[in-house]
Amino acid sequence: MATHHFLTLMFFLLLSFHTLTFSVTAEEEEDTFVRPIDRKLLGLNKKEKLSHFRFYWHDILSGRNPTSVAVVPPPLKLNSTTAFGLVNMIDNPLTLGPTLNSKLVGRAQGFYASASQSEIDLLMAMNFAFIDGKYNGSTITILGRNPVFHKVREMPVIGGSGLFRFARGYGEARTHWFDYKSGDAVIEYNVYVFHY
């Protein structure tokens, strides 16, 4: 009889322990949406390198095949010299040289918006989508302020995809050529990126 009571007690203790453990584990899973993982699972065990990319960004607003189009015009009631509120969607060629017939290495895809009422400052949100060589299919993402009439504009690299996962760095933009009449421009970009 004592053995029977002992076995019953052990059974209930084990059942209670299992129930408590299971409910704590379930609560932890419900309350936790993040967990640490091994860097190697994401390929982050490689040595990080710093790369410098130099290319030309062609913003073409004129002609039969523009690569930059206004999707939101500036409000008419805001008599602004900065086109405040304007949003342009872009699919701009990236070339090795300053001429459009230079070797195409990728496209800048995204948008820019006029974000200042006092000077021509653009909010740039774009991916440099590469189509050439080792980096074909990879992107570098830029998000930042571009005061277009400054000699050098610096914008942060906030990430990327493919070979640029976990990328960070910055890009410098310099106007190579600008046509005041059409709005077309060629911008030299020097982009410095830490990546794996």
Side-chain angles (χ1 to χ4, degrees):
M1 186 75 162
T3 307
H4 178 61
H5 287 299
F6 177 74
L7 289 175
T8 305
L9 178 63
M10 288 304 291
F11 173 75
F12 283 114
L13 284 175
L14 286 173
L15 183 63
S16 299
F17 178 75
H18 176 72
T19 304
L20 284 173
T21 306
F22 178 75
S23 65
V24 167
T25 304
E27 284 177 17
E28 285 175 0
E29 287 178 8
E30 287 177 15
D31 293 342
T32 305
F33 66 94
V34 65
R35 64 183 173 86
I37 62 170
D38 187 353
R39 294 170 61 92
K40 293 176 187 173
L41 292 174
L42 297 176
L44 299 178
N45 54 332
K46 301 174 198 165
K47 183 177 164 107
E48 191 176 36
K49 56 188 157 217
L50 175 64
S51 297
H52 171 216
F53 294 85
R54 180 175 176 251
F55 46 79
Y56 291 85
W57 183 89
H58 299 265
D59 196 38
I60 305 165
L61 288 88
S62 65
R64 292 182 7 205
N65 192 24
T67 62
S68 178
V69 295
V71 292
V72 178
L76 294 175
K77 61 184 174 194
L78 280 181
N79 191 9
S80 169
T81 57
T82 66
F84 177 68
L86 169 75
V87 178
N88 271 39
M89 194 63 59
I90 62 170
D91 185 19
N92 289 348
L94 302 175
T95 62
L96 284 183
T99 60
L100 194 53
N101 62 359
S102 297
K103 182 177 181 180
L104 183 69
V105 295
R107 301 197 75 84
Q109 298 171 327
F111 68 89
Y112 57 80
S114 180
S116 174
Q117 294 183 35
S118 59
E119 64 177 315
I120 299 179
D121 282 352
L122 301 176
L123 166 65
M124 307 293 289
M126 61 184 165
N127 290 308
F128 295 140
F130 297 106
I131 61 168
D132 187 57
K134 169 181 177 177
Y135 299 106
N136 183 15
S138 297
T139 66
I140 294 173
T141 304
I142 297 277
L143 177 66
R145 177 178 177 258
N146 181 359
V148 296
F149 291 119
H150 291 194
K151 184 176 180 181
V152 179
R153 290 90 67 193
E154 184 177 307
M155 292 165 269
V157 169
I158 62 165
S161 66
L163 293 176
F164 299 110
R165 289 182 190 141
F166 295 99
R168 66 191 197 288
Y170 69 97
E172 291 181 341
R174 289 175 177 80
T175 302
H176 178 77
W177 174 81
F178 179 68
D179 183 331
Y180 284 96
K181 186 176 180 183
S182 68
D184 293 354
V186 177
I187 310 299
E188 177 188 346
Y189 271 88
N190 284 279
V191 181
Y192 303 89
V193 183
F194 280 107
H195 60 101
Y196 290 94

